[in-house]
Amino acid sequence: MALTVACSRSVFVKRKILYTLRKTCILFSTNETILADGGKPELKVKKGRRNKKHLWTDNQSLEERLADVVTPLWRLSYEEQLEVKRKQQQRILSQLSSDPHSNSPSPVRSKPRFPVLPVLPSPVRDGYRNKSTFSVNRGFDGNPKTVGFYLPRARDGTIVCVNGDHLLNMPEKHKLVARCYQDFIRLSSLEPCLLFHTGGHWREVTVRTNTEGHTMATVYFHPQTLTPEEVAVHKAELVEYFTRGPGSVCQLDSLFFQESTRTRCTHEESPYQLLYGQPHIYEEVLGFKFRISADAFFQVNQAAAEVLYRTVRDLCVPNHEEHGGRARVGGTLLDVCCGTGAIGITMSPRVDRIIGIELIEQAVEDARHNAALNNVLNCEFIPGKAEVVLPGLMTQLSSAGGGPVSAVVNPARAGLHRRVVQALRNQPAIRKLVYVSCKPDGEAMKNFRQLCCAPDPWMKLTGEAFSPTLAVPVDMFPHTPHCEVVLLFER
């Protein structure tokens, strides 16, 4: 069912914009709370606290309510969405420029002291997500084997699961896999796992696709007290359904299975089991090809990722014209929180050396494979916590010389560890730093202030301060309030 946009350019639209900006939309998972767009890190809430205020009117359908949670800006034109995001980023970044020498919040200015460019639009606005996770819970009709997204009821606050067939940011292939998975678990003799302590087995399904249409599905399963032999029977039924049964319409290229007794487990804690097909799918960005594993991070909007990486590349290592041709910038680029190496690899033609640091070992393996796949020979990827690896690495770079050092950081919502900020701030060779943030008003703002504040021996921030010189928002998530912000800091 498709939602029709029937908003006039009236007072209602203005109120809707204000309502969207003020409302904090949350969905509820098995044990904890996750953010509304389904693709952001988890956020814990205190037990016993419940918002008693009704979020919706009684005449709204479940589909409209879910769309208001997952894609809060869906009622606005795309131009209006970009204007909402532009004003939001101006307001957020004004906090940073209120007092560039302070390490604490100060009165907010009306405008940042540095340029904030207009939001760069996403080339694809509907069906852009290449990764979606669908939950399992009771539907509005009471069926506990319903696959979709969590939604609190308007009246009593209980949770129902609503399918996402109408959501504008979901591609048709993801919706199809979700419907087939729902049909499969309804045929299964096993119950769904709604709460870990009450039993049940079938949990959410994650669907990943690429621009060529290749599809990877990962089914999450709680074994409870089942023996490995009993679990094997149900895995075989799952493969049969998706390869030769009704689910074969999905044309899966990969089917993974993870047995997990926790809400989230890494591959090291509970290995992803390949039940069918290829172990990876591949995606192309800016002419480079990247391997994507079941648990690897990759930007959820491939077309907008090209805009993002091109922006980061041009800010961090601009390719100057020289003698009628292109001149390499040279030097070393530090890619902190490098993931599968996409940022570093796309910048590799412009610098002498790329050093990437990443916590997840599987992502490091992917990054190394991606470098070899693209015949990129000047990239090195180091596994480990950035706050542990970076200080020693900076010492080695300082003693070895080797030209200018630039850095790009692309951390999760939690931002950079303070020791990483200290290492970047206290290394005089780093004259330029590009910070990519999906939530600049969160913990990242503390990082910004620590990078820019006056030297503070007590905080171990002894190096010359950075200054923010340019911000470029990139719309990675149309129909939602979120966007990525690329901040350029220079000395």
Side-chain angles (χ1 to χ4, degrees), residues 169-182:
N169 61 348
M170 296 288 167
E172 292 302 320
K173 192 63 169 292
H174 293 200
K175 300 171 185 177
L176 176 61
V177 175
R179 289 195 300 269
C180 287
Y181 181 59
Q182 176 175 279

Side-chain angles (χ1 to χ4, degrees), residues 280-421:
H280 311 96
I281 58 176
Y282 292 83
E283 189 58 277
E284 187 170 305
V285 177
L286 297 179
F288 293 90
K289 195 172 183 181
F290 295 95
R291 183 177 81 175
I292 302 175
S293 301
D295 62 340
F297 171 79
F298 196 83
Q299 294 288 350
V300 299
N301 183 340
Q302 183 272 344
E306 292 201 326
V307 178
L308 177 69
Y309 292 155
R310 188 181 297 113
T311 301
V312 173
R313 180 187 65 189
D314 292 343
L315 288 179
C316 198
V317 283
N319 208 354
H320 301 292
E321 296 282 353
E322 187 175 289
H323 304 302
R326 295 287 183 176
R328 286 170 58 90
V329 175
T332 299
L333 174 72
L334 297 176
D335 185 2
V336 182
C337 311
C338 67
T340 56
I343 290 179
I345 290 172
T346 55
M347 293 188 188
S348 60
R350 298 190 182 182
V351 296
D352 296 325
R353 184 184 184 190
I354 302 283
I355 301 177
I357 304 171
E358 171 58 45
L359 173 64
I360 301 174
E361 292 189 9
Q362 180 60 53
V364 173
E365 292 182 18
D366 284 337
R368 291 169 176 167
H369 176 88
N370 290 333
L373 181 67
N374 292 283
N375 197 31
V376 173
L377 305 178
N378 60 341
C379 287
E380 174 187 359
F381 298 100
I382 303 174
K385 293 182 178 180
E387 61 268 26
V388 175
V389 174
L390 193 55
L393 178 61
M394 297 307 302
T395 301
Q396 294 177 20
L397 290 176
S398 179
S399 61
V405 179
S406 300
V408 57
V409 296
N410 185 17
R413 281 178 175 263
L416 295 173
H417 192 281
R418 59 178 178 81
R419 286 180 58 192
V420 178
V421 177

Side-chain angles (χ1 to χ4, degrees), residues 67-86:
D68 284 342
V69 171
V70 179
T71 52
L73 304 184
W74 70 274
R75 298 178 189 270
L76 306 181
S77 70
Y78 192 58
E79 290 71 22
E80 289 172 324
Q81 293 183 30
L82 293 180
E83 180 62 13
V84 169
K85 298 185 183 190
R86 184 192 68 81

Side-chain angles (χ1 to χ4, degrees), residues 17-35:
I17 294 174
L18 293 174
Y19 169 75
T20 301
L21 290 176
R22 290 172 183 168
K23 184 177 68 175
T24 302
C25 298
I26 54 175
L27 298 176
F28 297 86
S29 66
T30 306
N31 285 347
E32 52 207 290
T33 303
I34 61 173
L35 292 177

Side-chain angles (χ1 to χ4, degrees), residues 44-312:
K44 294 183 180 179
V45 294
K46 293 182 179 180
K47 293 182 179 180
R49 296 185 64 181
R50 181 173 294 177
N51 184 7
K52 296 181 181 180
K53 184 178 180 181
H54 296 168
L55 298 179
W56 304 283
T57 58
D58 290 338
N59 60 356
Q60 282 185 291
S61 67
L62 286 173
E63 288 77 15
E64 287 178 305
R65 296 176 189 177
L66 182 63
D68 284 342
V69 171
V70 179
T71 52
L73 304 184
W74 70 274
R75 298 178 189 270
L76 306 181
S77 70
Y78 192 58
E79 290 71 22
E80 289 172 324
Q81 293 183 30
L82 293 180
E83 180 62 13
V84 169
K85 298 185 183 190
R86 184 192 68 81
K87 291 180 177 178
Q88 187 179 37
Q89 297 308 318
Q90 288 269 3
R91 176 184 58 79
I92 292 170
L93 295 175
S94 294
Q95 302 175 44
L96 174 61
S97 58
S98 299
D99 185 354
H101 300 296
S102 174
N103 192 28
S104 59
S106 54
V108 177
R109 291 167 49 86
S110 59
K111 281 188 174 182
R113 296 177 186 270
F114 52 92
V116 179
L117 298 187
V119 181
L120 297 180
S122 171
V124 178
R125 296 159 195 179
D126 294 338
Y128 59 83
R129 290 192 67 93
N130 55 36
K131 180 182 179 182
S132 304
T133 296
F134 299 88
S135 300
V136 178
N137 213 300
R138 297 185 185 280
F140 189 77
D141 60 358
N143 193 322
K145 294 183 175 181
T146 300
V147 176
F149 298 89
Y150 294 146
L151 183 69
R153 288 176 185 260
R155 291 188 176 277
D156 57 11
T158 56
I159 304 304
V160 293
C161 198
V162 180
N163 75 66
D165 282 359
H166 59 290
L167 296 176
L168 295 177
N169 61 348
M170 296 288 167
E172 292 302 320
K173 192 63 169 292
H174 293 200
K175 300 171 185 177
L176 176 61
V177 175
R179 289 195 300 269
C180 287
Y181 181 59
Q182 176 175 279
D183 292 342
F184 169 76
I185 64 175
R186 288 184 175 183
L187 292 171
S188 172
S189 60
L190 297 180
E191 294 300 316
C193 180
L194 307 186
L195 295 171
F196 286 177
H197 66 278
T198 59
H201 303 278
W202 298 114
R203 298 179 56 218
E204 63 259 39
V205 60
T206 294
V207 186
R208 306 187 77 149
T209 49
N210 63 10
T211 51
E212 295 181 357
H214 299 153
T215 306
M216 173 190 292
T218 303
V219 170
Y220 299 91
F221 184 88
H222 197 310
Q224 302 289 356
T225 59
L226 294 179
T227 65
E229 292 75 20
E230 290 171 324
V231 173
V233 172
H234 297 284
K235 289 194 291 187
E237 292 176 351
L238 183 67
V239 173
E240 175 68 22
Y241 178 86
F242 275 105
T243 57
R244 291 177 288 276
S248 61
V249 67
C250 298
Q251 297 182 315
L252 295 183
D253 294 275
S254 307
L255 177 59
F256 281 91
F257 185 86
Q258 187 189 48
E259 298 177 45
S260 173
T261 58
R262 296 164 52 188
T263 304
R264 292 287 182 273
C265 284
T266 65
H267 175 73
E268 290 74 24
E269 294 168 327
S270 180
Y272 287 84
Q273 305 169 39
L274 179 62
L275 302 186
Y276 167 80
Q278 303 300 315
H280 311 96
I281 58 176
Y282 292 83
E283 189 58 277
E284 187 170 305
V285 177
L286 297 179
F288 293 90
K289 195 172 183 181
F290 295 95
R291 183 177 81 175
I292 302 175
S293 301
D295 62 340
F297 171 79
F298 196 83
Q299 294 288 350
V300 299
N301 183 340
Q302 183 272 344
E306 292 201 326
V307 178
L308 177 69
Y309 292 155
R310 188 181 297 113
T311 301
V312 173

